Amino acid sequence: GAVVSQHPSWVICKSGTSVKIECRSLDFQATTMFWYRQFPKQSLMLMATSNEGSKATYEQGVEKDKFLINHASLTLSTLTVTSAHPEDSSFYICSARDAGGSGELFFGEGSRLTVL
Amino acid sequence: AQSVTQLGSHVSVSEGALVLLRCNYSSSVPPYLFWYVQYPNQGLQLLLKYTSAATLVKGINGFEAEFKKSETSFHLTKPSAHMSDAAEYFCAVSDGGATNKLIFGTGTLLAVQP
């Protein structure tokens, strides 16, 4: 099946720094990508919908200035956690929709962020 | 608005026993329904999906689910559990529209006892 790659798979940073997470569709084009956040032993919470070439659409309660999303190409979306704090520590998962195929969503392996 | 409810955050079965994970949905439009599996510290893998075709959907690894509109349910089953089935399972719903956003349930952790 199609592959979505996230990088880094885990990152530890100091409070106040910014962290960028990349989501790449390796063998298909994705006009739409989604970013989810998952707390330990909880479900995935949709943060935002990322559309190639336009501004992301954020879900209610998600700070757009805190979680910057860029979808500059059909194969890459990035999530930047700005001025990270310990409460931002979480598992972040992206998914990408295959624009040319069935429209099926494929998920990345996730990125675990730990803010000290 | 769409939502899914997964009854039972933890389910434990013996190896070889029937697996039944429950999911009920709420949707104002004909839903698209999905079951995903997540192994520790990994992303999600699609097990199966319902997109308004056959109501009994067969997926990977021997799993299947039946869409029952009258009960607004989409329960996941497997006749005989394997140790490798131990994982977190998520039911999800979307409207199948342009945005195709997935709304996830709270998940069910399946434990398989030897």
Side-chain angles (χ1 to χ4, degrees):
Chain A
V3 177
V4 174
S5 176
Q6 277 186 245
H7 178 80
S9 56
W10 59 269
V11 56
I12 301 173
C13 70
K14 293 181 179 181
S15 185
T17 61
S18 295
V19 175
K20 180 186 287 187
I21 301 171
E22 295 185 345
C23 178
R24 293 181 184 274
S25 56
L26 297 186
D27 49 5
F28 66 97
Q29 294 185 329
T31 53
T32 304
M33 292 184 173
F34 302 91
W35 286 96
Y36 291 85
R37 183 174 181 178
Q38 185 180 30
F39 291 102
K41 302 186 186 303
Q42 295 188 29
S43 187
L44 283 75
M45 182 189 74
L46 180 63
M47 298 174 66
T49 302
S50 169
N51 296 298
E52 186 267 337
S54 64
K55 292 183 178 180
T57 302
Y58 290 81
E59 295 298 305
Q60 190 173 11
V62 177
E63 301 175 59
K64 59 182 67 177
D65 294 331
K66 174 75 171 177
F67 299 100
L68 300 179
I69 291 173
N70 183 277
H71 193 161
S73 79
L74 287 172
T75 59
L76 174 64
S77 176
T78 60
L79 168 69
T80 301
V81 183
T82 63
S83 186
H85 291 284
E87 57 266 30
D88 299 324
S89 298
S90 190
F91 196 52
Y92 293 89
I93 301 176
C94 74
S95 68
R97 187 166 76 144
D98 184 354
S102 62
E104 184 173 340
L105 288 174
F106 298 94
F107 284 79
E109 313 96 326
S111 299
R112 182 164 300 285
L113 170 63
T114 301
V115 185
L116 302 177
Chain B
Q2 297 180 301
S3 66
V4 288
T5 301
Q6 291 183 243
L7 295 177
S9 58
H10 290 79
V11 171
S12 182
V13 300
S14 299
E15 191 174 19
L18 170 71
V19 175
L20 171 60
L21 304 182
R22 300 178 185 274
C23 173
N24 288 89
Y25 70 90
S26 174
S27 178
S28 57
V29 298
Y32 285 25
L33 293 159
F34 307 78
W35 275 100
Y36 286 87
V37 61
Q38 184 182 34
Y39 296 98
N41 294 311
Q42 294 187 27
L44 275 68
Q45 181 182 10
L46 179 66
L47 281 176
L48 49 80
K49 62 181 177 182
Y50 166 78
T51 57
S52 75
T55 56
L56 181 62
V57 182
K58 294 186 183 297
I60 62 172
N61 302 338
F63 285 95
E64 63 181 38
E66 185 172 9
F67 172 72
K68 292 187 177 180
K69 184 177 179 180
S70 61
E71 299 177 7
T72 61
S73 69
F74 190 59
H75 301 331
L76 181 71
T77 60
K78 182 174 180 177
S80 176
H82 294 167
M83 297 296 290
S84 60
D85 294 328
E88 185 93 30
Y89 292 81
F90 292 98
C91 181
V93 64
S94 84
D95 61 7
T99 61
N100 206 17
K101 291 193 297 186
L102 280 177
I103 306 299
F104 286 88
T106 49
T108 298
L109 182 62
L110 175 66
V112 181
Q113 308 299 329

